[in-house]
Amino acid sequence: MATGLFLFQNDLRLHDNPALRLAVEEVDKLICVYCIPSARANRYPYTISIPAKARWQFLLHSLKALSDQLLLRNQQLLIALEHPLNILPELITRHNVSAIYSSEHVGTYEQRNWQTLMGRYPYIQFRAITTHTLFDRAELPFELNELPSTFSKFHKLVKDTPIEKPIGDITKMPPRPKDVAIFDVLSPLLSKKFTSEFNGGETAGLEQMANYFASSAPSNYKETRNGLDGWDYSTKFSPWLALGCLSAKSVLAALAQYQQAQCEQSGSSDWIKYELMWREYFQWYGHKYGHRLFQFRGIKDSSPNTAFYPERFRRWCEGNTPYPLVNALMNQLRQTGYMSNRGRQIAASCLTNELSLDWRYGASYFEEHLIDYDIASNWGNWQYLAGVGADPQGHRHFNIEKQTDDYDPDRTFINKWGGDKFDGGLDSVDAADWPIY
Ligand SMILES: Cc1cc2nc3c(=O)[nH]c(=O)nc-3n(C[C@H](O)[C@H](O)[C@H](O)COP(=O)(O)OP(=O)(O)OC[C@H]3O[C@@H](n4cnc5c(N)ncnc54)[C@H](O)[C@@H]3O)c2cc1C
């Protein structure tokens, strides 16, 4: 009787989950575990360890959905408000676990936890399988340490590389050992009052994908994708992709089906694949550069001329800067946990350029709030915008006035999200901490 343990991370789904499929095929009993991230150690001193409400609730609803799906398959999800290195050793010993399965993770801490467990239990089989990306490492047409330094070079190399089809749903699972104690930690944490357009979980993610491809929006994607507000200008798949409620391969398969059915001439929906390739690039970028993803000097090892001004940073977070568009964007982020791609670029550019702030504080704030927070996409994009990452131009500075004219000419977005709330004066002290009168 082999007992396995499956550690869910950013793969909260039963469709196209080859890591879970392997576990299901190889063991007689299975313990399914998820460790709540807020209980994990702080990433860095400037990182906030408890996610903001929208991100937190999206995660909890996604876990609830996974838990419900597992129950339908006579399984149960053990959700631990614990660091994995606290809970897993106890489970391994008590239940005589002989194999541990998980999805390969891009996070430095997640990888370190995995390595620590491998070191502690040399007699256990450890299987980390790729589930978060379109390719696995062996399918990439280059060695990881030869990942191109820019996206366009990467895209040239991978655009014709075949992508495996997604695998089907897992319909049957081995039972859990009877004496695994499961407590309901979710119910007291789930907020009934919290409402969002984004419902967490695999079923909701698959539904969004089906609805999006049942509409005509994909055929206008390239033209609309830079919008700031609304549901249809972009796919909105990112929160589900980030937690793995949706697989990137399933999105590509649905896109191919859409294109076949529509016989689309414009090629507009092709841009969805192009954007998923950006996601792919940042994932492998994260795998290649590891902890350098979080370093001030980035992968370019160049130092931006920025610092930390607590008051400016607070104003940026609270949507109280001299830039109404940025204020509106930050208010939208705080209230919903989501911001458009164009919005993220403008807000990030403002933080590093207009406000001369250290980009890592901005990235951390996004980490706290974004319901689609994804380590590689967030920190990789921030590095790119701060000029210490994969941008061949070296530096991006968005002209906020021009962006306002282009994307919010009649100030609908600014008015909707209360962007005109600047109370005057960016700094109340000078660089030497003297009050400014
Ligand atoms: C400063 C900054 C921080 C970001 N942080 C995150 C993050 O934490 N998580 C995250 O998923 N995306 C992040 N992005 C990328 C992008 O903004 C979001 O993926 C996108 O806005 C999500 O909305 P959507 O699903 O409607 O995107 P769509 O435009 O519909 O794109 C389809 C999919 O392609 C991927 N994608 C699109 N653009 C990018 C991009 N620039 N980089 C990586 N993947 C992309 C996403 O998975 C997205 O769901 C960030 C971008 C910036 C500039």
Side-chain angles (χ1 to χ4, degrees):
M1 274 274 175
T3 299
L5 185 150
F6 190 86
L7 178 62
F8 279 99
Q9 299 189 96
N10 53 2
D11 54 354
L12 306 183
R13 63 176 186 268
L14 297 172
H15 77 278
D16 193 30
N17 191 337
L20 184 60
R21 167 67 61 90
L22 188 69
V24 164
E25 284 170 359
E26 287 190 348
V27 299
D28 308 294
K29 298 246 153 107
L30 187 63
I31 309 170
C32 296
V33 185
Y34 183 89
C35 297
I36 295 265
S38 66
R40 291 180 193 165
N42 264 0
R43 221 168 262 288
Y44 281 92
Y46 49 79
T47 296
I48 304 114
S49 62
I50 301 199
K53 191 158 191 179
R55 181 175 166 212
W56 181 233
Q57 288 298 320
F58 187 81
L59 169 68
L60 296 176
H61 279 94
S62 299
L63 289 172
K64 172 82 173 75
L66 176 66
S67 177
D68 290 348
Q69 287 301 317
L70 290 177
L71 270 178
L72 291 175
R73 290 156 180 84
N74 289 325
Q75 253 293 344
Q76 248 180 308
L77 183 61
L78 192 167
I79 299 171
L81 297 170
E82 290 261 11
H83 191 284
L85 292 182
N86 289 340
I87 178 93
L88 297 191
E90 199 186 311
L91 291 168
I92 291 167
T93 315
R94 188 179 299 168
H95 301 287
N96 203 12
V97 166
S98 59
I100 303 190
Y101 303 82
S102 197
S103 289
E104 200 181 15
H105 205 292
V106 67
T108 311
Y109 284 93
E110 287 77 2
Q111 285 181 15
R112 206 173 287 165
N113 293 340
W114 190 250
Q115 296 298 332
T116 304
L117 285 172
M118 283 174 78
R120 265 194 218 168
Y121 302 99
Y123 50 89
I124 290 182
Q125 241 197 5
F126 282 82
R127 311 292 297 269
I129 310 291
T130 308
T131 62
H132 202 57
T133 45
L134 295 168
F135 303 107
D136 69 25
R137 207 173 285 234
E139 289 165 343
L140 288 173
F142 46 77
E143 294 295 325
L144 185 59
N145 60 12
E146 284 159 13
L147 177 86
S149 58
T150 64
F151 169 73
S152 48
K153 288 186 196 153
F154 167 80
H155 190 239
K156 223 179 251 170
L157 290 175
V158 299
K159 71 179 171 21
D160 298 320
T161 305
I163 295 166
E164 291 272 323
K165 292 213 158 45
I167 60 170
D169 222 353
I170 291 164
T171 50
K172 271 194 181 157
M173 295 189 69
R176 75 186 157 97
K178 286 225 161 51
D179 50 343
V180 176
I182 304 238
F183 301 98
D184 176 16
V185 299
L186 280 182
S187 297
L189 299 173
L190 280 164
S191 162
K192 294 212 171 64
K193 279 193 212 134
F194 182 78
T195 54
S196 165
E197 284 180 292
F198 295 92
N199 294 319
E202 179 177 15
T203 308
L206 290 169
E207 225 170 79
Q208 167 61 11
M209 186 170 81
N211 289 341
Y212 182 73
F213 286 115
S215 74
S216 56
S219 296
N220 303 312
Y221 174 77
K222 190 178 173 196
E223 295 72 36
T224 59
R225 56 178 274 275
N226 275 323
L228 294 182
D229 212 7
W231 194 251
D232 293 333
Y233 67 83
S234 69
T235 66
K236 304 296 182 299
F237 296 159
S238 57
W240 292 285
L241 283 168
L243 289 187
C245 303
L246 261 186
S247 89
K249 284 184 190 171
S250 310
V251 174
L252 270 199
L255 171 64
Q257 246 179 7
Y258 172 88
Q259 292 178 325
Q260 228 173 11
Q262 297 293 315
C263 305
E264 189 195 73
Q265 299 293 317
S266 68
S268 192
S269 63
D270 270 348
W271 228 251
I272 297 171
K273 181 170 177 189
Y274 187 78
E275 295 304 329
L276 285 173
M277 284 299 177
W278 267 107
R279 176 181 181 275
E280 189 75 13
Y281 178 62
F282 281 126
Q283 298 303 319
W284 295 111
Y285 179 98
H287 279 292
K288 176 176 172 181
Y289 293 109
H291 67 280
R292 287 177 67 191
L293 201 56
F294 312 104
Q295 283 179 349
F296 182 55
R297 299 170 68 88
I299 62 152
K300 282 210 174 134
D301 204 20
S302 66
S303 199
N305 191 14
T306 56
F308 183 59
Y309 305 94
E311 188 174 355
R312 289 189 194 181
F313 180 59
R314 183 172 51 74
R315 285 178 178 279
W316 180 80
C317 298
E318 291 174 355
N320 184 7
T321 72
Y323 312 101
L325 182 59
V326 175
N327 296 343
L329 289 163
M330 297 305 293
N331 293 342
Q332 181 193 33
L333 174 63
R334 262 199 337 281
Q335 288 170 41
T336 66
Y338 182 83
M339 192 195 288
S340 64
N341 185 56
R342 176 56 49 152
R344 294 177 206 205
Q345 291 172 326
I346 298 166
S349 166
C350 173
L351 179 121
T352 57
N353 295 301
E354 274 77 16
L355 304 178
S356 303
L357 283 163
D358 177 339
W359 64 273
R360 293 170 302 173
Y361 287 89
S364 265
Y365 190 75
F366 272 26
E367 171 169 346
E368 183 191 352
H369 283 266
L370 282 174
I371 52 170
D372 65 13
Y373 171 67
D374 176 284
I375 296 178
S377 292
N378 188 56
W379 291 82
N381 270 295
W382 270 95
Q383 283 204 346
Y384 185 96
L385 281 149
V388 297
D391 183 2
Q393 285 183 31
H395 188 74
R396 295 277 151 159
H397 190 172
F398 285 75
N399 179 329
I400 301 172
E401 231 170 272
K402 182 172 183 317
Q403 295 295 315
T404 309
D405 290 345
D406 289 352
Y407 296 104
D408 194 28
D410 50 10
R411 296 173 78 89
T412 313
F413 183 79
I414 290 174
N415 292 334
K416 174 175 170 188
W417 295 102
D420 276 320
K421 297 243 169 75
F422 181 46
D423 62 10
L426 193 54
D427 298 304
S428 60
V429 290
D430 69 11
D433 219 17
W434 287 96
I436 295 169
Y437 297 107

